[in-house]
Amino acid sequence: MSRWVVRLLICMVGCMIGWIIGGGIVSRSLAAADCAVETAAGSGGAGLVLRLAPTCSQSEREARAVQATAILDVLMKGRRVELVGVIVQGDLNLDRLPVRGAVSGEQTVPEGLEGARGRELRHIREMLIIRDSIVRGAVRHGQSEGALLFAQPIDLRGTTFEEEVDFSRSIFQEVVQLSGATFQKEAYFVQGSFVKGLDCRETKFGPRTRFHRSVFRGPVNCAGALFDGMAELLEVAFEQPAVFERARFGSGTGFSGSRFARTANFEEAIFSRDSFFAFSVFEETVMFSGARFLGSADFSGAVFRRTDDLAKARFDVPPLFTDASRVSEESPMPGSGPSFGLYAVTVVCLVLAVALLVYAWKI
């Protein structure tokens, strides 16, 4: 009898061990299945493609991290880069792209390349997609004399850049998508040319953002964007509608010398510190309804071709309009808007008028 009991106990222990081991294998298999991976690298001109599902853990993303040098190698070969949900390690130095030619002074150039005359050109011929990812190194194009041409769309939506990003003197022939991206350090787009426009809705910019002397031939939509540090949009040409509705400017903000050829929308924007619109030109409708200026606002020398609605904005400090040209000469004051005192005076006047009419009728 005791032998049967021993055998039964051995069988039970064996079953338990098998169940534990088998369960571990199954759980690991399920975890691996949760991290769906799509790749297509290096074959048939596919370029570098890696898409990781949102269910992938941080350790799984770390294990499949992409080196910036691999991205640069694919770009040099003229192939596309499509990375979704990945981690990019190392600095992406776009200055290392080979020079593909120069734009001579007499050459007829495509739209957007007018400013590149006499400059050396580096090309990115295919799509560059780095979406919902983390870029841990810097991204730089620091050539002060050359230009970088993006012939296809660039999609950086939802990506976090932990180091400096510099796309200065770049020519984007297709739309640039930055919506939901986060720039934790400086972001430079100095003297950029955006042929099809910029989408930066809900984008978070870091300690300094520069679009100095850039040209936007397409629409700009930065609704809900956060410019946490200095925002420099000096001498910028907005040739299509520019939307900064609900945008928040956390530090000094400069639009001085910029030209808005179409509608400019700053409704409900918040300017936490000093803002400068000196010598800016607003060719079409400009909207500031519900905007809040917590610091000084300088519109000196600005030109408004249409009636503005600055009276509907709130200024904590009286704005400056020295030598400004406005169709509407109504100057907003701190806390401007319908005044309770004005309503009270109107009501009193109406009551007195009614009383006089009644008195005259009785006589």
Side-chain angles (χ1 to χ4, degrees):
M1 186 70 179
S2 59
R3 293 180 180 179
W4 288 105
V5 173
V6 171
R7 290 178 181 177
L8 180 61
L9 290 175
I10 292 173
C11 289
M12 291 175 64
V13 171
C15 290
M16 291 179 64
I17 294 174
W19 180 81
I20 292 172
I21 296 175
I25 293 173
V26 170
S27 63
R28 285 193 297 271
S29 299
L30 290 174
D34 286 342
C35 183
V37 180
E38 297 181 37
T39 61
S43 60
L48 176 60
V49 178
L50 177 59
R51 308 185 195 96
L52 301 184
T55 53
C56 293
S57 66
Q58 182 68 15
S59 59
E60 289 168 330
R61 298 181 195 281
E62 295 279 1
R64 294 177 173 85
V66 177
Q67 296 299 317
T69 52
I71 298 175
L72 185 64
D73 181 62
V74 172
L75 295 177
M76 285 182 173
K77 296 175 181 177
R79 297 175 181 174
R80 72 186 177 112
V81 173
E82 183 176 352
L83 304 174
V84 179
V86 307
I87 294 175
V88 178
Q89 300 277 18
D91 294 343
L92 180 57
N93 293 311
L94 300 175
D95 299 340
R96 296 182 181 177
L97 289 170
V99 176
R100 299 296 185 182
V103 181
S104 65
E106 299 178 355
Q107 183 179 354
T108 301
V109 298
E111 185 180 12
L113 293 181
E114 298 87 350
R117 292 185 185 277
R119 293 184 179 181
E120 295 180 339
L121 275 181
R122 291 173 171 80
H123 291 195
I124 294 181
R125 300 183 182 279
E126 294 296 330
M127 295 179 63
L128 175 60
I129 299 174
I130 306 177
R131 194 170 67 240
D132 298 325
S133 300
I134 298 175
V135 179
R136 291 186 169 161
V139 180
R140 298 191 183 97
H141 173 248
Q143 290 290 333
S144 59
E145 299 299 329
L148 177 61
L149 173 64
F150 290 85
Q152 299 296 328
I154 175 171
D155 184 355
L156 306 176
R157 289 176 292 172
T159 292
T160 297
F161 295 88
E162 297 183 350
E163 299 296 334
E164 174 189 302
V165 174
D166 189 352
F167 283 111
S168 295
R169 288 165 292 279
S170 292
I171 302 163
F172 304 97
Q173 291 192 306
E174 298 294 335
V175 67
V176 178
Q177 300 186 68
L178 302 179
S179 61
T182 299
F183 297 87
Q184 295 182 353
K185 298 291 180 65
E186 294 81 1
Y188 298 131
F189 298 86
V190 177
Q191 295 182 26
S193 178
F194 297 79
V195 177
K196 296 295 179 66
L198 170 66
D199 181 2
C200 53
R201 292 169 295 166
E202 307 295 336
T203 302
K204 296 179 181 179
F205 293 97
R208 190 175 188 184
T209 306
R210 298 190 66 196
F211 285 91
H212 184 208
R213 296 184 66 184
S214 289
V215 177
F216 293 94
R217 299 177 185 272
V220 176
N221 190 349
C222 290
L226 170 62
F227 295 85
D228 197 35
M230 293 286 294
E232 300 179 28
L233 295 98
L234 308 173
E235 301 178 76
V236 174
F238 297 94
E239 298 184 1
Q240 296 298 326
V243 177
F244 293 91
E245 182 181 7
R246 296 179 289 100
R248 291 168 292 165
F249 298 89
S251 190
T253 306
F255 284 90
S256 295
S258 294
R259 176 178 174 269
F260 297 84
R262 295 290 185 267
T263 303
N265 186 348
F266 290 92
E267 290 184 324
E268 299 184 10
I270 298 176
F271 300 85
S272 298
R273 297 194 179 180
D274 297 347
S275 55
F276 300 89
F277 290 85
F279 302 103
S280 294
V281 178
F282 300 92
E283 300 285 357
E284 296 289 340
T285 303
V286 56
M287 296 175 284
F288 282 96
S289 177
R292 181 77 183 269
F293 293 83
L294 305 182
S296 64
D298 188 354
F299 291 89
S300 299
V303 177
F304 297 84
R305 306 290 190 195
R306 301 284 185 92
T307 303
D308 63 72
D309 66 347
L310 282 165
K312 298 179 181 179
R314 181 179 178 85
F315 294 86
D316 286 7
V317 179
L320 298 177
F321 288 98
T322 306
D323 297 327
S325 174
R326 303 173 67 193
V327 175
S328 171
E329 294 301 330
E330 181 182 3
S331 298
M333 297 300 292
S336 59
S339 170
F340 175 78
L342 180 61
Y343 286 131
V345 171
T346 303
V347 171
V348 171
C349 291
L350 288 173
V351 171
L352 289 175
V354 171
L356 288 173
L357 287 173
V358 172
Y359 177 74
W361 180 77
K362 287 183 177 181
I363 293 176

